[in-house]
Amino acid sequence: MSERVLAPFGARECEVLARRETGGYVVFTAWDTTGPEPAPGQFYMLASDGWGSDGGRPFLPRAFSVAAAEAVRGGVRLEFLLEAVGPGTSLLASLEKSSRLTLTGPLGRPFSEPREVNPGAPGAILVGGGIGIAPIAILRRHLSRQGVPLRTLLGFRDEAHSGGLELFGECQEVGLAFENGHRGHQGYVTDLLQVALKGDDAAAAAVYACGPPAMLEAVRLIVEERGAAAELAMESPMACGYGACFGCAVPLSEGGYMRLCVDGPVVRSDEIESALVAGAGHR
Ligand SMILES: Cc1cc2nc3c(=O)[nH]c(=O)nc-3n(C[C@H](O)[C@H](O)[C@H](O)COP(=O)(O)OP(=O)(O)OC[C@H]3O[C@@H](n4cnc5c(N)ncnc54)[C@H](O)[C@@H]3O)c2cc1C
Ligand code: FES
């Protein structure tokens, strides 16, 4: 496992440097002057002005994967990609430049290097679905800087539930799937993964995936069938984000539970019983 980057104690205030719309999603940039640079796969608990205002909702901070991070003089620029689906994401999606944001992190276990996922891996296959492309974007940049051969496969429901492709640089290197046939393959991104894993060397593949529970479960089963290895960045309802509430517990394949906020959100596909986590939100 790659070294997890530890969060400074407590929440800290950050300024929003920029906000832009990207398809049906929003990207905003936070300026973190006191935190460390996160590792790909880690997440932050975010809240902003207006938290608790609408009849008390949203009450607790919400979890967001970091989609891009750059350490520059005097701090770290953090990019988050989000879809407004409830009170918290709607407030965050409406933040303008110069607004204030409260942030705790980086939290959780990051992605491992490809050779740690599968010792024979010649490269990595990255699979993202919907808003789950966020941690795949930062991982892709991290691995391509190291010269790791990559295949990137991204899937979306339709145009309204897609965006953030610019986080992946050259889109022609990316295999796209839309369930409604808007672009690329008509169907699921896991159809593209099935094709990518055809051939004798499938068992040597290192697959990384993030997306809705049904997509992650399909990836888990495909990888198991092909004898490959995968890491999945998962979601579960998170009340604290640092191990105190047990709200994020996920069953393990060998019995017992893990707390996804501290033992994940990145897990090996063979260590969990199922990726179909109740209340994970994104469809
Ligand atoms: C580790 C981790 C990383 C995450 N990273 C991201 C990220 O990068 N970007 C991001 O946008 N979200 C991310 N999420 C999900 C986000 O934290 C939750 O969706 C959050 O609960 C939304 O807060 P809310 O107050 O807007 O909605 P809530 O009040 O929490 O939910 C409102 C209702 O909307 C439902 N809902 C949630 N998502 C959807 C959806 N896509 N379509 C339809 N209904 C939905 C919920 O089930 C609930 O019924 C992440 C979650 C985890 C645990
Ligand atoms: S969110 Fe509280 S223990 Fe994981």
Side-chain angles (χ1 to χ4, degrees), residues 43 45 236-249 259-262:
F43 69 98
M45 299 299 285
S236 68
M238 289 189 184
C240 71
Y242 46 78
C245 72
F246 287 73
C248 61
R259 286 166 299 167
L260 202 67
C261 64
V262 285

Side-chain angles (χ1 to χ4, degrees), residues 111 125-129 132 135-136 139 153 190 193 206-211 215-216 219-220 223 230-234 265-267:
F111 290 112
I125 302 176
L126 313 184
V127 188
I136 298 298
L139 177 66
L153 312 172
T190 45
L193 178 63
V207 177
Y208 298 85
C210 184
M215 183 204 107
L216 289 183
V219 170
R220 193 180 73 80
V223 162
E231 284 192 340
L232 313 177
M234 292 180 47
V266 174
V267 303

Side-chain angles (χ1 to χ4, degrees), residues 91-138:
L91 274 173
L92 292 168
S94 63
L95 287 179
E96 295 294 345
K97 187 172 178 319
S98 305
S99 329
R100 309 297 294 176
L101 182 78
T102 307
L103 158 163
T104 308
L107 299 168
R109 166 177 157 186
F111 290 112
S112 310
E113 301 299 328
R115 292 287 166 114
E116 295 172 301
V117 176
N118 198 342
I125 302 176
L126 313 184
V127 188
I131 200 73
I133 67 171
I136 298 298
I138 185 172

Side-chain angles (χ1 to χ4, degrees), residues 169-183:
E170 292 296 313
C171 275
Q172 56 267 39
E173 292 173 35
V174 173
L176 284 178
F178 274 76
E179 286 176 44
N180 72 343
H182 167 63
R183 274 178 78 182

